[in-house]
Structure formats: C-alpha cells, structure tokens
Amino acid sequence: MRFLERLDFRINPDFLKISTSNEPTVIGMNLTCDSFILLVKIPSMLRYLLFTGFFLFSTSVWAQFTIKGKVTDAETGDPIPFANVILKGTTTGITTDFEGNYFLSPSAISDSITVSYLGYIRQTKALRKDPDQTVNFQLRPESFELEAFVFEAGENPAFEIIRRASDRRKNFDKRSLEAYETKNYTKIEIDIDNLSEDFRQRRSVQKVTSVLDSIKQLTDDEGEKILPVFFSETFSKFYYRNNPELKKEVIEKSKVTGVGITDGSTTSQITGSVFQEYNFYKNWLPILNKDFISPISDGWKTYYDYDLLDSVLIGQDTTYKLQVYPRREQDLAFTGFIWIKKADYSLKQVDLTIPKEANLNFVDRIKIQQELIPTPAGPLIPSKTRVLIKIAQVSDNTPGLLAKFYTVTDSILVNDPMETKFFNQAVELKPDYGIVESDFWEKYRPDPLSVEELAVLQMVDTLKNIPIIKFYSEGLKFFATGYKQIGKLDFGPWPEFFNYNNVEGVRLGMGLRTNYKFSKKWELKAYGAYGFQDEEWKYSASVTRILDRARWTTIQAYSSREIDQVGLEMSNLQGNSIFLAASRFGTLRSPYFSSNHGLNIQREFFKGFLMKGGLNLSQFDPLFDFYFLDKDTREYKSNFATTEIRAGIRYGRDEIIIINDNERASLGSVKWPIFEVNYARGMDLLGGDLDYQKLSLYVYHRINLGLFGVGRYELDAGKIFGEVPYPILKNHLGNETLFYTTAAFNTMNFTEFTSDRYFSIRYRQSFEGFLLNSIPLIQKLKWRLVGNVNALWGSVSDRNLANIPTVDPVGNPLNSFGRLDFGTPFLELGYGVENIFKFFRVDFFHRMTYLDNPGAKPFHVKVSAQFIL
C-alpha cells in the first residue's frame, strides 16, 4: 500500500477531467476559486474515492465562506459607493454598491482585505478565520494633487468617448421628454461638525456636551464627533412638462425635526426633491447659487482633462470608467469618476467632487453621487442621488457644517403631460402631509434608517428641548427674520426698535403681527414709533385676508403715517427692514410726513402671472423748503393730497414661489426674466388735488455666461403724464456714501436728477474666476473680477418745469432739482475685485457724463462687505 504522497488539484473553468493513472491528477470545474494543490500517491480506485470525497467537502466549505461589510466616510458617516474592495495578495475583488455595501464569496483565502478610493486614504483590515464575517471600513478623506497627463502621440483615448457622450446629450436628457412624473423619497440631515476641544469647553456648549457624549456617535471610534441639528424625510410626486417648461412637486408626506423648527409647512416645501435636482446633461449645474460645468458639457475640453481607467461591467451594461480632472483647479468644475455605457455612450453613474481648491468660500467639499436608469422613451432619470456639502470652519475655534441629501426615484411615468393650470403652484402640500401612521415610514421608505441615523433623530429630539439650545436657536431666528415669535404673535422688527436722525432725534418703535398659529386666513400687523425731538407719533396698521392659497389671492386694508424722504419712499423698501431702518439714521434728505390709507388686492391667475390692483389716498406734508405752483389757483402750495387707482401685473415664467406661513416668497427665476408693469391714475376725487397718470416697466434677469461668469441686468422705464410737483416725478436714487450698492447709481448724488420720462439699464457682471484663476500669483487668493455699466436716459417736460419755483413766496431762493437731457445719458462705468479675504469688495467707478454738475466727481471708490460662496 502506498502512503499519501501527492494529489495535484487545479480548477479550470472550461473542463473537468479525472485521471486514474498513478500520475498527478488534474481536476477542473467552473468555480470561483483559482487553485488548490495537495500531493498524494495512492492506488487508482482509492485515490479516486478519496479525492471525490475531499473535493465535495472542500466545495461545501468554500461555498459558505463569505465576507461582507459597508464602506463609509469617517468624517460624515455617509456611504462610499463604487469603492474598490480587494483581498490582499489575490485578484479577487468587487466594488461597493450605491449604499457602500459589498459582499464577497471568495475562493482564494487571504489574511486581510483592502479598500481604496480616490480622495481617501487606503485602509487594510485583518480577516479572521470565521467562515462568515462582517468587516466595515471608515475611510478618511485625503488631500491629493491632480497629476498632469502627457500624451506623446495621438489623441487621449478618453476624448473620443467624451466627445460621443457630449454629442448624444439630447438623446438622454430628461428635458427632451414631453413630460414625466416620478415618486420620490428625500432624506436630509444637517450636522455641526469639527467640534474642537476649545469649542466644546465653552460654557454655553458644556451644557450639551454631556448629551452629545451620551448618544452613540454617527460614525464609530474611527470617525469624528458631529452634532445633528436637523433631519427630514419626504415622500413626494414630481411632475415635469415641456413646451412650456413647467415643474411641480406635491409633498404627500413629510416629517421634519430640527433645532429651532417651529412649523414644518415652510420647511417641508424646501425639503423635497425639486431642490435636489442635479442633471449632468445640462451644460451647467446650479449648486448653492453657483454654476458648475458638467464633464460632458459642450465646452468639456475647455475645462477638463480625462483618463480612461478601465472597462467595467455594471449589471448587464459594459461601461467605460473615466477619471475627470479640472484643467484649472480653481474653476467651478468636478473631479472624480464617471461611467459611460459602451453601447450608446449614455451616463450610467457618476461620483464627482468639487475639490477644496475650487474658487469657493466656506465650502470644504461638495460631493455628488448618482445612478441613472433609462425611461421607456430613452432619456435617463436619476434613480438614486446622494449629495454632501461640507461647510468649512471660519476659524480654528469655530465648528463647521455638514449637509447630506439623499433622493430615491421610482414609479417613472413619461409623456403623459398634466394640464398647464396644474403647475400653478411650484410646491404643493397635501392637506394631510404631516399626518402619518406610526408605521408609515418603516413600511414605505426605500431603505431602513441606519443605527447612525436613528442616533441622529434621538440627538435632535433631545437637543431642541435643552434650554440653552432653544435660546440660541430662537436668537438666530430673531436676528434673521427680525421678529420674535411668542405664541400667536410675532414682535418686531428689531432694526426699527431704535433710530436716531436730525428730524426725530431719538426714535423708539415697536411692532407686532399675527402668525400662522393665530390664523392661516387672516394676518394683522401694527407698528408704532415716537420721535422725542419732533414729539410726533408714527404708525402703520394693516389687515390681510388670504382668500386662496393655491392661486395666491389676498385682499388688504392699510393705514399709516410715517416720515419718508423724496426718492427714498418707505413703500419701495418694504420687505427690507434693515435697509429701511438704516435709511432713518443720520441726516434725512428732503423729509416729509406721508399719510397713506388704502386697499390692495392681488391674485395669481396662472403659473407666474400675478395681477394686483388697489386704491391709495395719501397726504404730502414737507419738512423742508418746498413749494409748487398750483395750476388751477396759480398760487404757491407746499403740501398736497393724491388719490390713486393702481393696477399691475408681474410675470415670471419659471419663478419659484413658496408660501412662507402667511406670506408669498420668491426664490428667483431659473432661466427667464421677471417682468413687472405698473400703472397708477391720480384723480382729483376723494380729496385728491392732482390729475395725472404713471406707467412703469421693470425687468430683472440673471444670465449664465459660462466661462465668463454670471451677468445680471435691470431695466427700468416709465413715463408720467400730467402736470405734477416734482415729488411725484421719478427721483433717481444716487449714492453719496462710501459703500457700494446695487440699488442706486453709485456716482450720482442724492436727488441729483428727476425725470417724468426715463429709461435706465443697470448691468453688473460677476466674472467668478475668469482670468484671475489663470494668474499663478493671484489664483491662490481666489479673487474675482466684477464689472458695472449703468446708464440712465431721462428728461422733464417744460410744463412740469414751469411748476417748480426758484424762490419761495417771500423771495428766498429755493434749491432746484437737476434734470437730464434725453439725448445725453447719465453714464457710469465700474470695475473691481470681490472676495478679498472672502468678505470684502472694492469697486472703482468712473462718471462719464454730466461732470459739470455741482458736486459731481469723476472718480469714486466704493467698498462693501458681503457673504458669498
């Protein structure tokens, strides 16, 4: 009998062969393992039986050997999809799925497993000998420099792939569909991170430290501590219609919990998927009000370099995996990976990051991960999208902010458009959106909440009930909104509590308004102030009835008595309480008492189209030397009354509107300009002294100019018909301060020009990083060029000039207003640099015309502080 000496056992996927000779036996079959070798020498039949039994035993053991786990970001706790997981020393590996999970059933045995991904530090962990084990990884972000790729001969092979993908964008852009609708689940989490030890030791923070330490961290011991402050889940339906392009989201169910959140209705409107839409088939993607260039845009070669890494099978699709790099690291461009299907050059998935070097402020990282699926008509819809925005620390001793968004889309229906009237309201809340059965979320959310996310909910619920947290959160809301909510009333606005000027001396004021807790149909407002120098009371009061919230319809009655300034009327500053209060400090120019009583009504008839009308009775009582010649009595008068019937329309084709409690708030337009036309008829009825008509047009438009940044223009035109005193005319707003403002002509003096017909255009250009991003010594400073061109045409008719006396009734000279020659515009040109030390801006203005006017200066320097990304 021969003892065990040799058995050669090899696996080959193509054949199975058993030999009964005394030579080594070669065995192969279709298995996942590579090889296993054992040397035997035994008689033929016994060798065959032993080998068969050993083979069956081995196969059974290997089939049960599995490794699984999850790969997450150590700082944020977010999954890392598409990461490479490899058994060390073997070729056995896999990539993580969109949730960061992996599963291996290896044939080759290793003592450790390694995970790697671009932008993260590679990590290796030891394996146990257990047949089934779970190994999780928390990878830490790594700073890396983009390499330069030099191709000595021929074209970069990645270019042809990108060229074809870019050329076929219209075939796969979901905007080419006649219509589509989807069901969406959106999850948002906001955390405070980078909690330094100095920050944790602050007295105000120590009261929450014990709570923070008592609840499990969002990552494990390898991660960073974060303080959750907001968490929301939303189920919604999203509707899109082409020609005309319209969008709408219906919030069906929503759950919002957060520090300082008192009412979920407003918050629920902005936590849906409509604000988390990222379409890489657009040339530019708007993120945080900045425009980022897509890697497959028309101008891809101007902004990006590419590296073709591999051909990868994803599901049933063979894809090209490409790495993308910005050509200039300061540009608003992405770095990371994209996967393009080999069959039709459509996007399969993306994993892209905005690096630290990009010309952004306060943003440490923006990361977008997306999977796309084809619709029955061909164009693609993102099935899963994950976005991470990490706001950096302002200083070493301040915390940062982390915002995480996750959207899952399914139940896609295409080319069945809803009627245009359906899109009248951009975001709609179902009546029972906040009424949810106890097991609803567990039953219908696509993925169960992780242990970390459950800890987030626990922490937020705990924090918002801590007194010190309540104090700070309510304080921030008070500062931002101007009002402090106490039950059914809001008190404020705080900027008008105290003022000081040359007319009123010390001025103290206080106001209140009802909120949604009082009523969602009625809103009452009142404000009172007293000047200790003029010893006069000022007040305003209004009652508003909300008749229809879907097609925003309101009727309002109001009454007020206040101090205004010619050319700076309070009615033009409503909604900007800080600027309004600032206008009451210091020296008031051409002040007067203004009494107004009237009625307003407005209604939105269809998407973006709002009509309004009203009646206004006013009284003008000047507090400066002012007279005009009454055309009927031919006598000089200093005060007058007006009765105006008013009407207006406003149209913003793609303007995004939300209902903020009992107010209608605009979030701006996406692509098209916003138009506003107003008409007023002054009548000598109901106490009115003047007969005139006023017609005006206003247009605002934001234009994305790609490489050249963003432009914004404002058109303002109007005409006044009839003979009126100059306070009724258009008194163009100048700026004699050191500070730059977009609301005025920055080289014009206060009340320098007045017109009864006028046309103006104000254009400002933000070049972002254009030019300066390419200058080696400047690009690190992240400065950005800005430019201004402001022009004004205007004139005053002879009959209105005749009504303005040059002396008062006793012969003292009066100051006359300046006027424009319509053939010669007032023109100013400006240029400057913003983002100096992240906050400051310096503008240099040249006044080009009317240099002979009294007080005119040809050159001005304006400074300003701004908080911009």
Side-chain angles (χ1 to χ4, degrees), residues 664-768:
R664 185 176 185 268
S666 171
L667 300 182
S669 62
V670 178
K671 180 181 178 182
W672 298 93
I674 297 173
F675 298 87
E676 190 165 343
V677 178
N678 290 293
Y679 171 80
R681 173 66 190 270
M683 303 177 295
D684 53 0
L685 299 173
L686 302 177
D689 299 324
L690 306 171
D691 193 346
Y692 60 90
Q693 298 179 73
K694 299 170 79 172
L695 181 65
S696 65
L697 167 69
Y698 175 79
V699 181
Y700 171 79
H701 193 195
R702 180 184 185 273
I703 312 171
N704 182 358
L705 296 175
L707 178 66
F708 301 100
V710 177
R712 298 171 176 86
Y713 70 81
E714 294 176 81
L715 298 178
D716 192 10
K719 183 171 176 59
I720 299 166
F721 304 87
E723 296 181 33
V724 293
Y726 85 83
I728 301 293
L729 303 181
K730 178 70 172 183
N731 292 274
H732 305 289
L733 185 60
N735 179 18
E736 295 181 25
T737 72
L738 179 63
F739 304 104
Y740 168 75
T741 176
T742 62
F745 293 91
N746 284 279
T747 63
M748 184 186 293
N749 294 327
F750 288 122
T751 63
E752 183 177 355
F753 294 108
T754 298
S755 304
D756 58 17
R757 62 168 181 156
Y758 59 91
F759 172 79
S760 71
I761 179 169
R762 294 200 298 270
Y763 182 86
R764 57 188 188 272
Q765 177 72 31
S766 299
F767 289 95
E768 299 295 346

Side-chain angles (χ1 to χ4, degrees), residues 628-635 689-691 722-723 803:
F628 73 99
L629 185 63
D630 187 285
K631 68 176 183 177
D632 295 325
T633 64
R634 309 308 297 173
E635 296 179 351
D689 299 324
L690 306 171
D691 193 346
E723 296 181 33
N803 291 330

Side-chain angles (χ1 to χ4, degrees), residues 1 22 115 122 132 134 157 161 175 185 221 255 407 511 544 563 586 595 610 735 766 771 773 777 809 819 835:
M1 183 176 180
N22 288 330
V115 172
R122 180 190 299 266
D132 299 296
T134 300
I161 299 172
R175 294 175 299 168
Y185 166 78
D221 293 337
K255 181 174 68 173
T407 299
T544 303
I563 287 185
S595 298
L610 183 77
N735 179 18
S766 299
L771 293 180
N773 276 358
L777 297 179
R819 58 195 181 98
N835 210 38

Side-chain angles (χ1 to χ4, degrees), residues 149-164 300-301 305-308 327:
F149 290 85
V150 179
F151 298 92
E152 297 181 356
E155 186 184 47
N156 180 346
F159 284 5
E160 180 60 23
I161 299 172
I162 295 296
R163 184 178 295 112
R164 295 190 182 188
W300 59 269
K301 205 168 185 178
D305 259 327
Y306 304 83
D307 186 23
L308 176 58
R327 286 185 178 271

Side-chain angles (χ1 to χ4, degrees), residues 211-221 225-226 228 451-452 455-456 458-459:
V211 178
L212 177 64
D213 292 336
S214 68
I215 299 179
K216 187 183 185 301
Q217 294 177 203
L218 299 184
T219 58
D220 67 5
D221 293 337
K225 269 193 178 298
I226 61 177
V451 174
E452 292 80 11
V456 167
Q458 181 185 358
M459 174 63 85

Side-chain angles (χ1 to χ4, degrees), residues 851-867:
L851 297 175
D852 295 333
N853 280 13
K857 297 178 182 179
F859 181 71
H860 293 249
V861 179
K862 303 289 184 179
V863 298
S864 58
Q866 53 189 6
F867 185 86

Side-chain angles (χ1 to χ4, degrees), residues 16-203:
L16 171 63
K17 180 179 179 182
I18 301 175
S19 173
T20 56
S21 68
N22 288 330
E23 298 302 320
T25 302
V26 180
I27 297 177
M29 66 181 301
N30 191 10
L31 294 178
T32 57
C33 49
D34 293 330
S35 65
F36 180 88
I37 300 175
L38 184 64
L39 303 181
V40 297
K41 278 190 178 180
I42 53 178
S44 299
M45 183 57 67
L46 182 59
R47 175 175 29 185
Y48 176 76
L49 294 173
L50 288 174
F51 175 77
T52 302
F54 179 77
F55 169 75
L56 294 174
F57 171 76
S58 301
T59 302
S60 175
V61 172
W62 293 341
Q64 296 176 3
F65 188 73
T66 62
I67 307 171
K68 63 180 179 179
K70 187 168 188 174
V71 181
T72 56
D73 186 307
E75 292 186 355
T76 68
D78 265 7
I80 300 178
F82 325 132
N84 299 312
V85 183
I86 297 180
L87 290 177
K88 191 173 182 181
T90 75
T91 59
T92 302
I94 198 171
T95 59
T96 56
D97 63 15
F98 197 79
E99 307 307 324
N101 298 311
Y102 72 91
F103 180 88
L104 285 170
S105 182
S107 58
I109 298 176
S110 175
D111 61 356
S112 58
I113 186 170
T114 298
V115 172
S116 62
Y117 194 66
L118 180 71
Y120 290 87
I121 299 172
R122 180 190 299 266
Q123 191 176 76
T124 300
K125 287 191 174 184
L127 292 173
R128 304 187 304 274
K129 295 183 179 180
D130 302 341
D132 299 296
Q133 52 189 303
T134 300
V135 183
N136 295 322
F137 288 85
Q138 294 80 31
L139 302 186
R140 290 184 176 277
E142 174 186 39
S143 298
F144 64 94
E145 296 184 0
L146 302 179
E147 300 179 4
F149 290 85
V150 179
F151 298 92
E152 297 181 356
E155 186 184 47
N156 180 346
F159 284 5
E160 180 60 23
I161 299 172
I162 295 296
R163 184 178 295 112
R164 295 190 182 188
S166 181
D167 290 344
R168 301 183 186 186
R169 283 169 48 227
K170 289 185 178 179
N171 297 340
F172 303 108
D173 189 344
K174 60 185 180 179
R175 294 175 299 168
S176 65
L177 293 167
E178 181 184 358
Y180 67 85
E181 60 184 80
T182 61
K183 287 185 178 180
N184 298 332
Y185 166 78
T186 304
K187 179 170 55 180
I188 300 177
E189 178 185 333
I190 299 177
D191 311 305
I192 297 174
D193 71 344
N194 291 323
L195 300 173
S196 65
E197 193 58 33
D198 289 341
F199 179 80
R200 289 167 59 88
Q201 293 304 317
R202 294 180 184 179
R203 181 175 299 179

